[in-house]
Structures are given as C-alpha cells and as structure tokens.
Amino acid sequence: MQLSLNGVKAIAAISALALTALSLTANSASAQPIRFSDTYVGAGIAGGVTSGGQGGDDAKFGGNIQGRIGVKEVPVSVRGAVIFSDETAAIVPSVTYDQRISDNANVYAGVGYSFVEKDGENTPLGNKDAVVLTVGAEAGVMKNVVVYGDAKWGINAYQNSKADSLSFQAGVGYRF
C-alpha cells in the first residue's frame, strides 16, 4: 500500500495536533503531574516520504515499534525503534537529548544508526544502513499511556544513490 506525500503530511499534521491537544488536556486534567522520565514501549504507523531515485525504492508506508529508557537526573534517553514495511525492517538504536516542555511532555533530538535487515529491500527509512537523525515529541496522557511522534532522517539511506530518506512515525505506548 502506497501513501501519497499529501497523505503523509496530513498524518504528520494530525499527529502533531493530537500530541499538543493530549498534552494540554493531560496537564490540566491531572491532580498530580506525570513526570516524564520513564521507560516505555509503543507501536504505531510509519510513513516514508522519499525515494532513492532508482527503480523499486519508492516511499513506503509501514509501522513502528519504539521504546525509550530515560536516564534519571540527566536529560538523555536511550531509544530503540523498529521501522518496518511489508518487505523488511530497519532497526534503529539511538541516543537523544530530551527537553521538558511540561510536567508530562518532552521534545527530543538525537542521533542513531539504521540497520536494514535485508539491504536493497525498502523500509519507510530507506533500503540500506545509514546514520539517522531524529526529532520528536512525547507526552504522557494517562498514568501508563504515552503518545509519541517523530521524524527520522536517514543520511545516504538508499543503495546506488546518495539520496537521504525521511520517515514520520506516530504511536501509542505503555509506560512502566
């Protein structure tokens, strides 16, 4: 299933609005603030919006499984993501700097590396191993529920091409 660039933009915009609205709602509705320095695992959608310019490496729609381990007392997290399509998956470990924007929400930016399971097969994040830059947001919306969304930019992420990849992810996680 292919998703158009406009469709991916719409999903990204809706995800950003939902994160903002849920963050504000959770902030005003809770008697005690939810501190966001915890660990979570979540799942959701992923949409690639780029192509390597070669035949068969068009943008892909798929899913994601993401996790976060917060490092106490410092604004750093260790993260992992599996960005998958119907063809294969990219495994992306990363380290991020987290900036608190409210008691229950962070924005983050970081660097990682994408390991594509089957080089040459498409994921939403390209079709070969690559350095990945990430920027995103996450918010606790209930005691154990987190919503997240991010963009991952794979540098030189396509075989036989110097093209970069760009993928947007959104999902819901369980915090523990």
Side-chain angles (χ1 to χ4, degrees), residues 3 8 11 16 50 56-57 73 80 85 88 94 100 102 106-107 117 125 129 131 136 153 159-160 162 165 169-170:
L3 190 65
V8 172
I11 289 171
T50 55
D57 62 4
E73 306 302 324
S85 70
T88 191
S94 59
R100 184 178 138 198
S102 73
N106 289 336
V107 293
E117 288 184 321
L125 195 54
D129 299 354
V131 171
W153 174 26
Q159 283 190 338
N160 304 317
K162 294 200 181 281
S165 66
Q169 291 67 231

Side-chain angles (χ1 to χ4, degrees), residues 2-176:
Q2 279 194 344
L3 190 65
S4 71
L5 181 58
N6 288 337
V8 172
K9 287 179 184 177
I11 289 171
I14 290 167
S15 298
L17 290 172
L19 279 172
T20 303
L22 288 171
S23 174
L24 294 173
T25 302
N27 237 359
S28 62
S30 63
Q32 289 188 344
I34 301 169
R35 297 285 177 198
F36 205 93
S37 61
D38 298 334
T39 299
Y40 70 82
V41 175
I45 60 172
V49 296
T50 55
S51 168
Q54 306 295 313
D57 62 4
D58 294 334
K60 281 292 209 179
F61 185 75
N64 77 78
I65 300 170
Q66 296 198 103
R68 172 190 190 267
I69 299 172
V71 180
K72 302 287 184 194
E73 306 302 324
V74 293
V76 174
S77 295
V78 177
R79 297 174 188 269
V82 177
I83 312 297
F84 58 89
S85 70
D86 58 345
E87 296 178 29
T88 191
I91 300 164
V92 187
S94 59
V95 176
T96 62
Y97 176 81
D98 306 335
Q99 178 62 50
R100 184 178 138 198
I101 56 175
S102 73
D103 284 336
N104 65 338
N106 289 336
V107 293
Y108 56 89
V111 64
Y113 198 82
S114 169
F115 298 94
V116 175
E117 288 184 321
K118 295 179 188 173
D119 278 349
E121 299 293 323
N122 290 332
T123 72
L125 195 54
N127 64 11
K128 77 170 194 171
D129 299 354
V131 171
V132 175
L133 302 178
T134 302
V135 63
E138 57 201 359
V141 293
M142 292 188 295
K143 182 178 178 186
N144 293 326
V145 178
V146 174
V147 293
Y148 62 87
D150 64 24
K152 293 187 184 332
W153 174 26
I155 300 171
N156 192 16
Y158 290 98
Q159 283 190 338
N160 304 317
S161 173
K162 294 200 181 281
D164 294 345
S165 66
L166 180 61
S167 177
F168 295 100
Q169 291 67 231
V172 177
Y174 176 75
R175 179 170 44 185
F176 48 95

